[in-house]
Amino acid sequence: MIADHIRATSFLISDGVIPSNEGRGYVQRRIVRRAIRHGYKLGQKTPFFHKLVPDLVRMMGDAYPNMASQAQRITDILKAEEERFYETLATGMEILDSALSGGVTVLPGDVAFKLHDTYGFPLDLSADVCRERDVTVDEDGFKAAMEAQKAKGRAAGKFKMDKALEYTGAGNTFVGYEQLQAESEVVAVYVYGVSAGGIKDGENGVVVLATTPFYAESGGQVGDQGEIRTASGAVFAVGDVQKIKADVFGHHGTLTSGSLKVGDKVTAVVDTAARAATVRNHSATHLMHKALREVLGDHVQQKGSLVDADKTRFDFVHNAPMTDAQIREVERRVNAEILANVAAQARVMDIESAKQTGAMMLFGEKYGDTVRVLDIGTSRELCGGTHVQRTGDIGVFSITAEGGVAAGVRRVEAVTGLNALAYMQGMETMLGGVAGTLKVTPAEVHARVDGLLGQVRELEKEMAALKGKLASAQGDELLTQAVDVKGIKVLAAVLQGADAKVLRDTMDKLKDKLKTAAIVLAAVDGDKVQLAAGVTADSIGKVKAGELVNFVAQQVGGKGGGKPDMAMAGGTNAAALPQALAGVVAWVSERA
């Protein structure tokens, strides 16, 4: 079964399927976790599954070169998934073993759901374990617990659901690809989510037009902003546009002057600056998507995006942070496309014809019979959004952030046009400020900072050595404060200017000198307290360091733990420390 699952999971990853909590990624996760559970049953208590990839490549790589070429990526993804599951596997199995002990014949549904919801045990995984022990699963109870959780989610989202607008009229005509202003007519008005004949000055509402140049939020691109005006002077400020239905756009905003009612003739005007900034970012996203696939590999797939006037945010499948060199190369490729200044082209065609063009399609996305194929530079994707006329209209492209957002999913944020210029000027200003502070030119900043960091490291070493000498001197002085309690030397004291390392080092020296001892050392920094407890080997049968340190920590607003011979803790109430330390002798006396 493990051999079968390593084949299945490896080929899935090579085809772009990574473990997740939804869709095909969830199927992948269940396969991986089932294999891990079988390994766990065979005594594999640490990650092992990912180590089988080289054997799979050796046996099948010649026949499947695509899988072989991604061997390291497959190994890394499986290793990360294993490590994540092993963190909870032991605890989950303990819960399952406990629930199945004592001759139980049915696993309660609520226990099965807890294993699923909290520890990542799919129902079928719990069922596998139960079948091996001739135990059935209360699936009805599991479904009831699952439904109860869904009901809570529905209740939390009830307000939003109650605000859904009921519209039964005809669809509107969208002209926003060609023009940013259009003459139209108000066909519906909603105030506080309820259909109304009109909207008054100062009220918030939603307006539906027969014809609109406003783009409604879709495909990651935010809705347009602008104004809806009447000849009589009414102005409805549009802050967002959302789809009420696929072909019905709701213009959300506030009537800032006059009155507006159903049937009014209006002029709809899109905010041209915001639209221009948005389309620059959207078009750059297409170019970036292509560049990411070229630089990182064909496994890169879009997992989400947000495009507005300020930036583009793009989530994609990749299992490792991008290097600086990769980020720079993606920027170079996108800016090369921009400099080529190639005209963009949008074509509407049936879905089968679109597939034949080789246009990029997103897995899981629902497409209609007719789609819009967009060519921007060398990128070709299906997209219903608004875009630049030529790649040169984007101006310039710069990545501002890169990071992880989920297992195997990375996020890139980038800016274009005037936003990119502002970003670069801001970075130059910051670099200039740093250079001024360091009294060097911007080109010399890196070397200067490296030099300062070296000096800091040397000073830290010197400070650590001085702390150690100070602590050693204090430790020698503290020896005389130790109290004999039934043959155990007990010492509880504050070590001035110490940190965690100094506390541990001093503890070791005191234990060596006192031979048979139970010791608590504390360091204070403002209201914060650091504690270390140590017990010599010949005394841990009577006194445990973890219990001793917790006795003190609980009195100073903290907690801690560790091994029987050494434990650490922290607290936030330094004022209570003297009394807590004073009670150590009595505490040890009760146990000695």
Side-chain angles (χ1 to χ4, degrees), residues 1 36 71 74 100 105 107 115 212 235 253 267 342 463 498 540 556 574:
M1 292 185 72
I36 294 170
I74 293 168
L100 297 179
T105 58
L107 177 67
L115 287 165
T212 181
V235 177
T267 301
V342 176
M463 185 170 66
I540 59 177
V556 295

Side-chain angles (χ1 to χ4, degrees), residues 186 189 197-199 207 228 230 234 236 255 258-262 264 266:
V186 177
V189 173
I199 185 171
V207 174
I228 298 172
T230 67
F236 182 81
L255 191 67
S259 63
L260 191 66
K261 62 183 184 300
V262 174
D264 281 352
V266 298

Side-chain angles (χ1 to χ4, degrees), residues 531 548-559 571 573-584 587:
L531 299 168
L548 176 55
V549 82
N550 265 322
F551 164 73
V552 178
Q554 289 171 6
Q555 297 179 66
V556 295
K559 60 181 180 179
N573 183 10
L577 181 61
Q579 183 177 349
L581 293 177
V584 169
W587 188 89

Side-chain angles (χ1 to χ4, degrees), residues 245-493:
K245 294 182 177 181
D247 59 350
V248 180
F249 297 180
H251 305 73
H252 296 244
T254 304
L255 191 67
T256 58
S257 64
S259 63
L260 191 66
K261 62 183 184 300
V262 174
D264 281 352
K265 302 298 182 182
V266 298
T267 301
V269 183
V270 174
D271 183 328
T272 55
R275 166 71 83 87
T278 302
V279 300
R280 283 194 292 267
N281 288 335
H282 197 167
S283 296
T285 304
H286 284 242
L287 299 178
M288 178 173 64
H289 187 188
K290 185 173 186 294
L292 286 167
R293 288 175 62 84
E294 291 171 345
V295 173
L296 302 179
D298 291 339
H299 63 274
V300 168
Q301 296 179 19
Q302 180 178 337
K303 297 296 287 185
S305 66
L306 173 65
V307 179
D308 58 24
D310 297 325
K311 65 183 180 306
T312 174
R313 189 180 75 198
F314 188 75
D315 297 347
F316 60 96
V317 173
H318 189 57
N319 62 299
M322 292 178 66
T323 65
D324 288 341
Q326 289 170 335
I327 291 173
R328 298 287 83 83
E329 179 60 17
V330 169
E331 287 183 326
R332 188 196 67 77
R333 288 173 183 255
V334 173
N335 281 296
E337 297 262 26
I338 292 171
L339 287 171
N341 198 27
V342 176
Q345 180 185 25
R347 294 169 289 166
V348 177
M349 61 183 71
D350 63 82
I351 187 68
E352 289 304 319
S353 297
K355 290 178 180 178
Q356 293 175 12
T357 69
M360 175 73 68
M361 299 184 184
L362 303 182
F363 180 85
E365 187 77 11
K366 294 181 180 179
Y367 296 109
D369 295 333
T370 302
V371 293
R372 190 166 178 258
V373 177
L374 189 72
D375 289 311
I376 298 179
T378 58
S379 167
R380 176 172 290 169
E381 293 189 40
L382 302 191
C383 183
T386 57
H387 290 275
V388 297
Q389 294 184 347
R390 306 185 70 88
T391 57
D393 296 341
I394 298 170
V396 66
F397 168 86
S398 181
I399 292 175
T400 59
E402 190 275 345
V405 293
V409 179
R410 308 298 298 178
R411 169 173 292 173
V412 166
E413 292 189 4
V415 289
T416 63
L418 293 176
N419 291 327
L421 177 62
Y423 171 74
M424 289 185 283
Q425 289 176 334
M427 296 296 286
E428 288 177 355
T429 299
M430 182 172 64
L431 178 60
V434 173
T437 300
L438 297 176
K439 294 181 173 56
V440 296
T441 66
E444 297 170 326
V445 165
H446 190 275
R448 179 62 172 148
V449 169
D450 276 349
L452 289 174
L453 288 175
Q455 293 177 29
V456 169
R457 284 191 288 268
E458 289 302 318
L459 290 172
E460 287 176 342
K461 289 179 182 178
E462 291 179 16
M463 185 170 66
L466 290 172
K467 279 186 176 181
K469 291 179 181 178
L470 177 62
S472 179
Q474 291 185 70
D476 291 339
E477 294 175 5
L478 293 175
L479 288 172
T480 60
Q481 299 179 26
V483 177
D484 189 292
V485 177
K486 301 177 182 178
I488 300 175
K489 296 290 186 181
V490 180
L491 174 62

